[in-house]
Amino acid sequence: MAYCTVDQARTAGATGTDGEVAAWISAATERITAYTQQLFEPTPLVVVADVAPEGLVLLPRRVRSVTSVTPVVADDDAPSLPSSAWRVTSSDVLGSVDAVLLRWGGYDDLIAGAESYNGGYRGLFERWGLEQARVAGEFGYAEVPPLVAQACALLAAHVQAQAAPSDADAQQAPGLDVDDEGNNVRIEDDAEETTPVAASASTGSTQVDALLVSYLNRGHSLIGGV
């Protein structure tokens, strides 16, 4: 996942081989994700969210599609709900919100506890004391907005400049890979794709923060793994 191209980052001031610039872009993308708490391209994801009393599950990222909804219960043995048991809304539609609405009705005589004579899904949810649901699907913007791409390119160059050691630092740490301009071009990137990205108060660049302010996801908390 990257929010700008190597050429865009080079135009903004990043230097080095394509692989090195791509690593700076990766670092910038991670900072932008942490700062905005958004995903700016379609991303497969599984999230756990609270279920409101009327069955509304507010999702903390822009949702594109949902493939499964599974109640979270103590014994971890809940069945995935059929698509007829929930409805999805997305902020892709102006005036709408990112949510799954569990239709607390219907039944399935093949699911123990959700039979018609047992009160269907509503009765099952009430017996579970359902508080959370696990939602799998695709989240994020359809494509990277131009301002986000510009912000990523600028931030990639900014992060690289911040990482450049002084001559004294280079002498004290001979293991650093430093190019002719004094830039540290070795980047260790062992993070798994599912490593949680902690929320951040800034990307580290006030210029980039200003470009991204309209994309801040102010209403939702961090999801682990994003």
Side-chain angles (χ1 to χ4, degrees):
M1 181 169 63
Y3 294 155
C4 71
T5 65
V6 168
D7 286 344
Q8 287 172 320
R10 288 192 189 281
T11 299
T15 61
T17 67
D18 285 357
E20 291 160 1
V21 174
W24 296 120
I25 290 172
S26 178
T29 296
E30 183 171 320
R31 287 197 187 190
I32 289 172
T33 300
Y35 176 61
T36 62
Q37 293 294 283
Q38 297 277 19
L39 297 168
F40 292 106
E41 60 183 13
T43 305
L45 199 65
V46 177
V47 304
V48 173
D50 292 339
V51 179
E54 294 304 316
L56 181 66
V57 184
L58 291 175
L59 300 173
R61 295 294 184 276
R62 175 171 290 198
V63 62
R64 308 206 59 76
S65 62
V66 170
T67 54
S68 69
V69 178
T70 307
V72 176
V73 295
D75 59 9
D76 200 28
D77 192 30
S80 292
L81 303 178
S83 58
S84 59
W86 41 266
R87 180 169 62 89
V88 181
T89 62
S90 172
S91 59
D92 254 350
V93 178
L94 187 63
S96 190
V97 297
D98 298 300
V100 170
L101 178 61
L102 301 180
R103 298 174 178 176
W104 286 48
Y107 62 91
D108 189 334
D109 286 337
L110 298 179
I111 295 179
E115 303 92 344
S116 55
Y117 54 82
N118 251 339
Y121 285 113
R122 177 183 289 275
L124 181 61
F125 294 162
E126 289 175 349
R127 285 189 290 278
W128 277 338
L130 184 61
E131 295 182 352
Q132 290 186 314
R134 182 178 292 106
V135 181
E138 188 177 64
F139 294 77
Y141 281 63
E143 57 186 16
V144 181
L147 275 181
V148 175
Q150 181 182 356
C152 184
L154 289 169
L155 188 57
H158 176 80
V159 173
Q160 182 183 28
Q162 280 188 319
S166 66
D167 292 340
D169 290 335
Q171 291 174 3
Q172 292 174 5
L176 291 174
D177 290 336
V178 182
D179 64 18
D180 292 340
E181 299 175 352
N183 297 319
N184 174 21
V185 297
R186 181 195 297 173
I187 300 176
E188 299 295 337
D189 188 12
D190 298 328
E192 295 288 335
E193 190 171 330
T194 56
T195 300
V197 178
S200 173
S202 172
T203 62
S205 165
T206 54
Q207 181 185 15
V208 171
D209 290 354
L211 287 174
L212 296 173
V213 68
S214 63
Y215 294 100
L216 294 181
N217 187 356
R218 303 178 188 276
H220 302 303
S221 59
L222 174 70
I223 303 174
V226 182

